[in-house]
Amino acid sequence: MTSQRNTSRFMVLLLISCLTLSAFSDPDTSFAQTDNRTVLVGIYENPPNVFTSESGKPAGIFIDIIEYIAKMEGWKLRFLSGTWVEGLDRLAKGQIDLMPDIAYTVDHEKIYTFHKVPALSSWFQVYAPKGSKIKTILDLDEKRILVLERSVQQKAFVQLGKGFGLNSTLITVPDYNTMFEMVANGEADAAITNRFNGMMQAKNFGLENTSVVFEPSDLFFAAPKKASGMFLNAIDRQLLNLKKDPQSVYYTSLKKWTSEDIQFELPGWVPVIGLISGVVLIMSLVGSIVLKHRVNARTRELKQINQEMEQRISERTEELAATMEKALAADRIKSAFLATMSHELRTPMNSIIGFTGIMLQGLAGPLNPEQNKQMTMVQNSARHLLALINDVLDISKIEAGQLEFSLTSFDLRLSIENVVKVISPLAQKKGIVLNLDISDNTGTITTDQRRLEQVMLNLLNNAVKFTEKGHVNILCRFKNGHYILSFADMGIGMRPEDLPNLFQPFTQVDTGLSRKHEGTGLGLSISKKILDMMGGSISVESQWGEGSIFTVCIPETTGDLP
Amino acid sequence: MKDTLLIIEDNEQNFYMMRFLLEKNGFTVIGAENGPKGIEMALSQKPSAILLDIQLPEMDGYAVAKELKKHGELADIPIIAVTSYAMVGDREQVLAAGAHGYLEKPIDPETFVADIIQYLPKNR
């Protein structure tokens, strides 16, 4: 509603602005002497421009304007009511001095005289009963259209109809009231009126403005041909003054007749939209209140859930910390266990191996051959048990991440020779030749010497162990910051299917009771893990029945442990 | 003159075995089954070398080594740790505690005596 009203106000202001501009552009501003003449003004019913009020007095925008002009010019005004046509006739005959609200046209110019400053600007608009479906000029085809007799609208619409090829019935009526009544009664389909009149009156008859608008025109006071120029100039002069001053009668009148007292006809959709909007708004409000309530409820729920979650998290964190502490404790226990195991197992082993050795050396007295044979078996079993203990402890330490390296820089050649020296007795015993081929660029290596020697010892021991006769070649090369060590034997070799699991714990190709090569089955697994930790690698090539080559690649320097 | 060696060892079998091997090779062996008694014997007997077990009741081998080092008159007596500790860092820790040598159990009866002899002052 409000927006429609504002739009109307805007329209009016726009109109006024246009009028004001045209007023300023009018050069005729000379003042005439006032005279005490009586001016007879024709009145007809064309609200709000000119009409007879309920109290029987003339009223409307034109009346306000002319009353002001008369007051300023010292004129006396008299009014003569009649129909539009009567008024025009009287004016033409000079029976009245002025007819308000006449559009300037070439035809009118022939009969009447006009002042120059337009009093109002208007256009014609088609009004029809509500729901008429008249949307465009073409919708007027085959319709009964009412128009004011001898009005500008009549002529304009005839031309317009021809232009659009309309076949409508144009009915002329003497006044606007008749026009609206006929449309309201269904005697006609639509009425053509000017914008001011339509705005003010049509609604009273249940009619609405269509969007068919045409022929904008300027409206004036018309005077008989014989009217003096002084008289008309006086009107222009006063109109200019009126239009200059925003507080003038002109504007208050416009405001009064178009904004305040007059209900604008709103397009049908406006109240519908308004109603819908209102309902929607109320529903939104109700909805938002309900929603807010729900949101609040949900927020409380979420807060509660959040608190519960926080509590749970804090509980879990504590549990985790406790578990962590337990794990650390378990880890410490494991370390302690390993150390204890190591000690507790070695102490009796020390006695077993020690006394066996003493007896075999004959230090406790001479042994007969059978005693010597059996004590040797005890010694071998004890040594095997010790090897197992050592390897299991190694594996445990590696898997517990407790195998620590003690890094030193040492001469790799010397280290290899040292390992060869340890294995030599075994090789000599089997009649196996150990060929050492160490390249000249072999220098120092930085790693855990004991662990590297453990790996080399394991590989060389295996090579000799599995070779019945022939030789074992030990190669050392230095290339791209890495040492390549290879141990090639002429042993039993391995089948391709045996290779994948070779480096897994407790894997021995020769298993079962029939096996003749003793070993823990952990050596290669430990070697691989140690080399992994050193940033190195181990690989194997083997030919069943011909021998195996184990190749170790190890960086010159073992980096920091992860 | 026979060298006297002190063995501080709580395990009876191990003590017997080491004493057997050393006496067979002409050494005089005295023994103590714990740290305090070992320190007391070291001070009173002034052995040529001390064979020290690390895993001892009450006072462990590290503490015994440190205590022995406090006595100036024992400064020249070599301490040889004979231990079944075989964890990483054990050797370093033992040497840091003041031991001159380190033998890992189980000992090899064939090399044990030779290993001990090399630590004796006259051979160093």
Side-chain angles (χ1 to χ4, degrees), chain A residues 5 265 289 323 331 353 370 433 439 504 537:
Chain A
R5 202 177 174 90
E265 175 62 22
I289 289 164
T323 309
D331 210 44
I353 290 171
E370 184 56 32
V433 180
S439 66
Q504 296 299 313
S537 63

Side-chain angles (χ1 to χ4, degrees), chain A residues 14 32 38 53-54 131 144 146 163 173 181 240 293 295 327-328 333 383 398 421-422 425 427 444 458:
Chain A
L14 192 69
T38 298
S53 70
E54 284 175 11
R144 295 162 296 167
L146 299 178
V173 289
E181 274 171 14
L240 277 175
H293 181 74
V295 166
L328 288 173
I333 289 166
R383 281 183 178 154
I398 289 166
K421 210 184 283 173
V422 173
T444 58
N458 175 244

Side-chain angles (χ1 to χ4, degrees), chain A residues 252-526:
Chain A
T252 51
S253 175
L254 268 179
K255 197 181 172 198
K256 180 172 73 181
W257 295 116
T258 59
S259 304
E260 288 178 354
D261 295 353
I262 301 156
Q263 279 292 317
F264 290 118
E265 175 62 22
L266 290 170
W269 52 267
V270 172
V272 174
I273 295 287
L275 187 68
I276 292 169
S277 305
V279 169
V280 168
L281 192 69
I282 289 164
M283 283 171 70
S284 309
L285 279 171
V286 171
S288 70
I289 289 164
V290 171
L291 209 61
K292 195 170 183 232
H293 181 74
R294 285 194 190 164
V295 166
N296 285 343
R298 193 52 64 88
T299 305
R300 280 194 299 275
E301 276 176 38
L302 282 175
K303 265 186 189 170
Q304 201 184 335
I305 290 169
N306 198 31
Q307 281 173 352
E308 284 172 13
M309 285 295 286
E310 279 175 8
Q311 200 186 333
R312 260 187 233 175
I313 288 168
S314 112
E315 282 172 9
R316 285 291 144 81
T317 307
E318 281 170 27
E319 282 173 26
L320 204 65
T323 309
M324 194 69 172
E325 184 50 47
K326 275 183 196 168
L328 288 173
D331 210 44
R332 285 192 292 269
I333 289 166
K334 189 169 182 179
S335 291
F337 174 76
L338 286 174
T340 306
M341 273 285 283
S342 173
H343 176 262
E344 296 300 330
L345 291 174
R346 279 161 199 261
T347 301
M349 285 308 295
N350 192 36
S351 294
I352 295 166
I353 290 171
F355 287 118
T356 312
I358 287 167
M359 292 186 78
L360 283 169
Q361 277 178 284
L363 294 174
L367 298 177
N368 65 38
E370 184 56 32
Q371 286 168 330
N372 192 292
K373 187 182 170 186
Q374 290 183 12
M375 283 312 288
T376 303
M377 286 178 174
V378 173
Q379 190 180 48
N380 286 340
S381 290
R383 281 183 178 154
H384 187 205
L385 181 57
L386 181 67
L388 269 173
I389 290 164
N390 288 339
D391 285 355
V392 168
L393 287 172
D394 273 352
I395 287 274
S396 301
K397 277 188 270 187
I398 289 166
E399 306 220 315
Q402 289 174 343
L403 187 77
E404 289 169 29
F405 284 161
S406 164
L407 302 181
T408 52
S409 290
F410 56 94
D411 190 318
L412 183 59
R413 180 189 293 271
L414 289 179
S415 182
I416 295 167
E417 286 170 354
N418 192 34
V419 170
V420 168
K421 210 184 283 173
V422 173
I423 301 296
S424 283
L426 178 67
Q428 274 171 8
K429 210 154 116 189
K430 294 181 80 172
I432 294 163
V433 180
L434 299 179
N435 295 322
L436 208 51
D437 178 3
I438 299 171
S439 66
D440 291 339
N441 60 354
T442 298
T444 58
I445 184 168
T446 303
T447 188
D448 186 310
Q449 183 170 5
R450 192 171 146 217
R451 291 298 177 184
L452 179 59
E453 285 178 3
Q454 180 183 350
V455 171
M456 293 193 291
L457 215 54
N458 175 244
L459 294 175
L460 188 56
N461 187 54
N462 283 347
V464 172
K465 191 162 73 182
F466 292 107
T467 302
E468 292 307 316
K469 58 177 182 178
H471 50 81
V472 169
N473 294 330
I474 302 133
L475 245 82
C476 178
R477 296 285 181 272
F478 182 67
K479 206 175 168 186
N480 297 330
H482 286 73
Y483 283 108
I484 316 290
L485 296 163
S486 82
F487 302 85
D489 65 51
M490 295 172 71
I492 53 174
M494 288 171 282
R495 298 180 192 88
E497 60 265 33
D498 294 328
L499 299 181
N501 294 324
L502 196 63
F503 298 100
Q504 296 299 313
F506 295 109
T507 301
Q508 275 186 315
V509 174
D510 180 19
T511 55
L513 293 170
S514 67
R515 76 179 185 198
K516 54 182 179 176
H517 307 287
E518 65 176 36
T520 62
L522 290 168
L524 284 176
S525 172
I526 291 167

